[in-house]
């Protein structure tokens, strides 16, 4: 009898407990120069009929990964480098198969490191080799804190590997000169842009083409000129659901629907209009006049994939440290 009474009381208690309310908002943790494109994406998503509120957090991609590991409750990430999502996988926040959950290895659009110079290009900067010349000041973010900065390092190294036929001594000499030409390393891409355009530091800014084209469009080609190098490094912008957060909040469906939108023709059009190169072929064709031709190398082609890059270049004591920490 006592057991039956206890069971009945438990059932009543459970029945009277209100169901967990469905969230009405999600948090997107994104890279720092992604503010404008995601403001536009969010507005387009709302216009499509979505009622969820998309909150945004922007910082260097690596800083965002660290913040999530330390407690930032992001439902989704829209990063600019695979290795930063890999850190979340290692921390148990993102599933191992995240890259297969969306098209194009979960990258809705892409870009690459490109140059922005001042009107008239007074230092005649046209390719990577020009960045190591005496008297040239180069602005780009710190590779230790910014995916943007790491892409710059990888693009410069990829050019040097071809230029010097794989001679590591010459490659490191070039990269050391390039790093020594940086007067200050900002923590993220947008801070680097601010240093170049507002503080007027440096002769050339290296950042994603999406940023160089946007700055020239906004501030005027009479002041700033985008320069496309002979070769650069494919910079994917991977997205992922933060499983640990969405399972706790009950927001998985909201998170997935939002990321799905980025791959739709509408989402791709927004990306292209904000100078990110779309993967949708029809949208890319419609914006072909916006984007110069460029030869891009990939992580796999140039360095054996992201696992090899992480181990050989970005680990403590890796090849990046040879040209960066020892200057």
């Amino acid at each position: 009898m006592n057991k039956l009474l206890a069971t009945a009381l438990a059932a009543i208690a459970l029945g009277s407990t209100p169901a967990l309310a469905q969230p009405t908002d999600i948090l997107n943790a994104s890279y720092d120069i992604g503010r404008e494109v995601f403001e536009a994406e969010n507005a387009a998503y709302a216009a499509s009929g979505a009622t969820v509120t998309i909150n945004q957090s922007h910082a260097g991609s690596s800083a965002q990964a660290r913040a999530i590991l330390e407690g930032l409750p992001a439902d989704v990430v829209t990063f600019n480098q695979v290795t930063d999502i890999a850190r979340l996988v290692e921390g148990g926040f993102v599933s191992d198969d995240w890259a297969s959950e969306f098209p194009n290895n979960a990258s809705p659009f892409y870009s690459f490191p490109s140059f922005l110079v001042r009107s008239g290009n007074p230092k005649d900067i046209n390719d990577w080799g020009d960045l190591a010349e005496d008297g040239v000041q180069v602005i780009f973010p710190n590779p230790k804190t910014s995916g943007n900065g790491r892409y710059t390092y990888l693009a410069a190294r990829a050019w040097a590997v071809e230029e010097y036929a794989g001679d590591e001594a010459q490659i490191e000499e070039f990269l050391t000169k390039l790093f020594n030409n940086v007067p200050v390393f900002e923590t993220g891409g947008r801070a680097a842009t601010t240093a170049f355009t507002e503080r007027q530091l440096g002769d050339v800014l290296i950042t994603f083409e999406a940023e160089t084209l946007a700055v020239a469009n906004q501030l005027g080609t009479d002041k700033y000129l985008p320069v496309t190098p002979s070769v650069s490094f494919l910079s994917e912008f991977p997205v992922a659901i933060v499983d640990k957060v969405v399972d706790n909040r009950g927001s998985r469906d909201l998170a997935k629907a939002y990321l799905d939108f980025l791959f739709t023709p509408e989402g791709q059009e927004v990306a292209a209009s904000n100078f990110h190169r779309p993967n949708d072929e029809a949208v890319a064709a419609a914006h072909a006049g916006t984007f110069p031709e460029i030869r891009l190398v990939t992580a796999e082609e140039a360095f054996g994939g992201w696992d090899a890059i992480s181990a050989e270049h970005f680990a403590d004591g890796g090849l990046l440290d040879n040209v960066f920490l020892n200057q």
Side-chain angles (χ1 to χ4, degrees):
M1 178 63 73
N2 289 338
K3 287 184 178 180
L4 289 173
L5 179 60
T7 301
L9 290 173
I12 292 171
L14 287 172
S16 63
T17 301
L20 183 65
Q22 176 75 15
T24 59
D25 68 309
I26 60 173
L27 175 61
N28 173 20
S30 191
Y31 54 100
D32 63 347
I33 71 165
R35 291 173 176 84
E36 292 78 14
V37 68
F38 284 103
E39 285 178 1
E41 292 283 10
N42 296 348
Y45 188 48
S48 74
T51 57
V52 62
T53 298
I54 312 296
N55 299 311
Q56 291 290 140
S57 170
H58 293 281
S61 186
S62 298
Q64 291 287 59
R66 183 169 60 252
I68 292 169
L69 293 172
E70 294 173 353
L72 179 69
D75 301 86
V76 300
V77 293
T78 54
F79 281 172
N80 60 25
Q81 194 157 291
V82 169
T83 52
D84 292 322
I85 296 184
R87 293 178 63 190
L88 299 182
V89 173
E90 293 170 2
F93 281 75
V94 171
S95 64
D96 289 336
D97 60 350
W98 65 272
S100 65
E101 294 179 0
F102 300 95
N104 306 316
N105 292 319
S107 179
F109 39 76
Y110 67 97
S111 195
F112 57 86
S114 187
F115 308 159
L116 188 71
V117 299
R118 304 193 187 281
S119 176
N121 195 4
K123 294 295 179 73
D124 195 27
I125 295 167
N126 297 295
D127 211 348
W128 293 99
D130 300 324
L131 305 177
E133 295 294 327
D134 292 341
V136 173
Q137 286 200 327
V138 184
I139 303 296
F140 65 89
N142 190 333
K144 293 290 185 176
T145 59
S146 167
N148 188 322
R150 284 197 294 277
Y151 274 125
T152 292
Y153 161 79
L154 292 170
R157 177 174 271 277
W159 173 87
V161 167
E162 294 183 1
E163 179 72 12
Y164 302 116
D167 186 313
E168 185 61 26
Q170 288 186 290
I171 293 167
E172 291 196 0
E173 180 181 3
F174 159 73
L175 289 170
T176 300
K177 288 180 179 178
L178 169 57
F179 274 77
N180 283 337
N181 279 351
V182 180
V184 57
F185 282 99
E186 303 290 349
T187 58
R190 182 52 55 85
T193 299
T194 298
F196 186 71
T197 59
E198 295 184 14
R199 294 161 56 197
Q200 293 292 298
L201 297 179
D203 302 298
V204 54
L205 169 70
I206 313 176
T207 186
F208 294 126
E209 180 197 48
E211 182 88 334
T212 63
L213 295 180
V215 169
N217 179 70
Q218 181 180 359
L219 300 182
T221 53
D222 59 326
K223 296 179 180 178
Y224 298 101
L225 176 67
V227 174
T228 303
S230 62
V231 63
S232 196
F233 190 85
L234 174 66
S235 305
E236 296 177 299
F237 292 80
V239 304
I241 296 171
V242 185
D243 298 277
K244 189 171 183 178
V245 173
V246 300
D247 289 342
N248 182 57
R249 298 189 67 230
S251 56
R252 178 175 292 277
D253 289 346
L254 297 177
K256 186 177 188 309
Y258 174 64
L259 293 184
D260 281 338
F261 176 78
L262 302 179
F263 295 86
T264 65
E266 295 82 4
Q268 292 282 284
E269 176 63 32
V270 170
S273 297
N274 284 269
F275 305 107
H276 290 70
R277 296 197 179 209
N279 282 311
D280 183 283
E281 292 183 2
V283 176
H287 289 267
T290 301
F291 302 109
E293 290 188 7
I294 177 70
R295 180 168 65 91
L296 299 177
V297 299
T298 68
E300 290 73 21
E301 293 168 346
F303 302 110
W306 283 109
D307 287 344
I309 288 171
S310 296
E312 296 173 14
H313 296 268
F314 299 142
D316 289 342
L319 293 176
L320 172 62
D321 285 350
N322 290 350
V323 300
F324 187 30
L325 292 182
N326 295 335
Q327 57 179 319

